[in-house]
Amino acid sequence: MTSQLFGREREVRALTEMLSQVPAGGAGQCLVLLGDPGIGKTALLQATRGIARGRGFRVLAAAGVQSEAQLPYAGLHQVLRPLLRPGAGEPDQRSQALLTAFGLAEGERPDIYGVALAAVELLGAAAAEQPVAILVDDVQWLDAQSQEVLTFIAHRRAPLRIAVVGAVRNGYPGPFVAAGLPRLEVSSVDGDAAEEILRSMAGVSGVSDRRRIRDQAQGNPLALLELPQTLAGAAYPEAQEWPLTARLERAFGTRVAELDSAARDALLIAAVDPVDDLAEILAAMAVLRGAPVAADVLEPAVAVGLVRVERGRLMLRHPLVRSGVLQAEPLERRHAANAAVAAVLAADPYRRAWHRGQSIVGPDDEIADELEASAALALGRGAAMSAIGLLQRSAQLTTSSAHRGHRLLVAAEHAFSVGRQDQVGLLVTAAERCDLPELDWARAQWLREIFHDGVPGDAARVSQLCAVARQASAAGDHDLALNLLFGAALRCWWADTGPDARADVLATVKSPAGGVDLTHDHRYVATLALAGPVVECRAVIDLLSEIDPGAITDGDALRVFGIAATAIGDPVRSLAFLGRAETLLRSQGRLALLSQVLSLCVVNRLHTGDWDGAQAAAGEGERLAKETGQPIWRTGALACDALSSAFRGDTDRALSYAAEVEATASRQRLNQLLSIAQLAKGAALWAEGRYAQAYRELARAFRADDPSFHQRECFGAVMFLAAAAVEAGQQADANALVAELSQVAAVTPSPLLVVNLRYARAVLAADVTADSLHAAMVGQDFTGLPWSAACANLAYGGRLRRLGRRAEAVTALRAAVAELDRIGAGPWSDRARAELEAAVSGS
């Protein structure tokens, strides 16, 4: 047992048990080791490696290095390198994503979640042959992309024969820690273990010396080993007042200071260079010292236990050696070391630019340009988060205020693309301190907007966005203008901004500067639909009718066209766009956008009778929204899940989800989501036979003064409202609401409203008009709407039975039962079956 494992029986037992739970059938496990520096996390990972190998696992290991955090996917590459076969034939799309991300092949820019999916598939294939243990030290210092992908792998571990163990230093709340994964806190060793370490490993024989060191070390195994050499005596009495990490860094720094200058230079180069390649470190030393050096310059550092050299690699004893060296060296020396490393990296422009950027303080446009070029390289590998850091540093080194602001805005756009709301705000704020030209100022307004759609009743903000869009359009940037107007339209959709604000959006999007034709752009069509779902419905239908979804290869454009069709209440047309968008986005691994598409699919599939598909989309959409950090879309997916559960008659689940949606959406007064929640509650209560309560909940969504009122979302609730009204004796009130919607229907040809209104008019009709209205209801075109057709047959068959027209009733009701059973509409199917039995028996 190594020194750091004295007193670690509890932790070793937990790790052993975790590995034992990865059986042949597959039940992936994960554990996050949390602890202070030097507490023994690395030693526990080493122990886990031995246990895993003893149990037949294939071990894949990596370690984060603080200075490596800007290298795209460097940590993930460490993990997966043993599994990669770059020359093994033509790679498929997923393999190509990995190779491109690692810089091993040229290819289309991969999405980070496409890389994550490819990693999961590669690990799954390896685990099918042999269980896999992924052991990662210092996760907090992996590059941002690798941290995200490692977290994704941990979330997707369940069906795979893999175990993921990551060690994280306390105080670093990255995605791996924040993901809610199982944790193991690694705390101080007890007194007996500390005594054993000091006696048998550190060679401290005196009882009083051991007591003094033990008090200072606070049960930290690394401190128990290192403090005796430098801090246990009286040389640094003030050390007792320092934090333990600082004492350990001082301990290592003291040993470094005692080395000769060549060895100190070697350690400094190793500290700033994240690559442990000995040849590269020696080459950089030659630049720093102005003369060639041999590997034996490292012997003094090896002798005092600061580094070790193995097979051409130079490895520091502990990460605190690196921080100790960097803290001990003055800024000028650190700059010189980075410049020396950059000088030997001519073949690696990305790393060269990064080290050059760390070699100066003041502005330098040449290096700033190199960093911007490196950001483009990072983006080409799907590493937006690395690109953001490079652009930030590039901006810091840029002399021109306007150019500096532009680079910050470009970084903010990339932060938006990966859902980093906090970074977007900080970057835009920094950019706005610069002298931004008009277009960049407009771009800043759009970036401020994109994470704040749906502020209730903020007509002033909508008007401001329209004004900025007009400026952008006048300057010739119609792309930016459409982005701004799409954001303004979303505000009008999520919450009621009033008729004037909606009219402003519609007038602006219809009148681009220079008379440019934008009518076939997906954002144009969606802006019309979102800001004017009633008044622009016919125009949107005409535009969408001219578009063939099969001819579009941009998954995001298909998504936005699907939003437009959903906004006007055309579920069949919406699914034509969304179905293809789902296929493309799934194949590309663009999971953030895929989660939005799946959420949109839920309601549309419910209306079109694909309830199994709706339920599957709801579950996956919610999970992906959570995994990709999209809280509003997660709430939307939960609302759709509530609706799906209600339609199926799972009342408890539907009401529970609806309550959760209301709690979130009410805070932001997002009446579109509140409207869905009302429909879910009403449908769930109807399924339980609580008709009066169901009617009250449903009617709220139709009253303009209610927070859940939404001018378009209520279209899909009309049929439920009418059905509940009949059972609750509320026909008069329901007829008044239907009459109001009939006025809306005179303006909009929304397919969803048309089919729902025909049902409602029929079932609410007085006998004198009922026959013609029922005929109109069942005689309409139900293409793509089997759910509506089944409900119409149920209502019509029930009326025929009551009129004594049993043979006709049986035909209609049999058709209703068959379709409702196929759909899985339990409560409605039960009602239809009861009507059918009554018709057959003549009761």
Side-chain angles (χ1 to χ4, degrees), residues 409-571:
L409 289 175
V410 173
E413 289 187 37
H414 296 314
F416 161 65
S417 74
V418 291
R420 295 304 177 94
Q421 180 175 355
D422 54 340
Q423 282 191 301
V424 171
L426 292 171
L427 289 164
V428 171
T429 297
E432 287 175 338
R433 298 192 189 105
C434 303
D435 298 326
L436 295 178
E438 186 176 274
L439 274 181
D440 274 345
W441 183 83
R443 184 169 286 104
Q445 300 311 300
W446 168 61
L447 287 164
R448 282 219 176 275
E449 178 64 18
I450 49 185
F451 276 113
H452 298 282
D453 301 325
V455 175
D458 192 357
R461 179 59 173 162
V462 170
S463 295
Q464 182 185 20
L465 290 169
C466 289
V468 177
R470 287 190 287 270
Q471 292 176 7
S473 181
D477 196 337
H478 298 293
D479 188 69
L480 176 57
L482 284 173
N483 283 336
L484 287 159
L485 291 168
F486 184 47
L490 281 168
R491 279 181 176 265
C492 298
W493 173 259
W494 290 114
D496 186 10
T497 52
D500 291 342
R502 292 195 294 271
D504 195 4
V505 174
L506 294 173
T508 304
V509 78
K510 290 179 181 180
S511 306
V516 178
D517 183 9
L518 304 174
T519 56
H520 290 90
D521 188 286
H522 51 284
R523 292 161 298 180
Y524 175 89
V525 179
T527 297
L528 287 184
L530 292 166
V534 173
V535 297
E536 297 295 337
C537 177
R538 191 176 303 279
V540 172
I541 288 177
D542 290 343
L543 288 170
L544 292 176
S545 298
E546 299 174 9
I547 301 169
D548 175 14
I552 301 174
T553 57
D554 181 350
D556 189 31
L558 287 160
R559 174 187 69 94
V560 176
F561 279 129
I563 288 174
T566 300
I568 61 169
D570 191 344

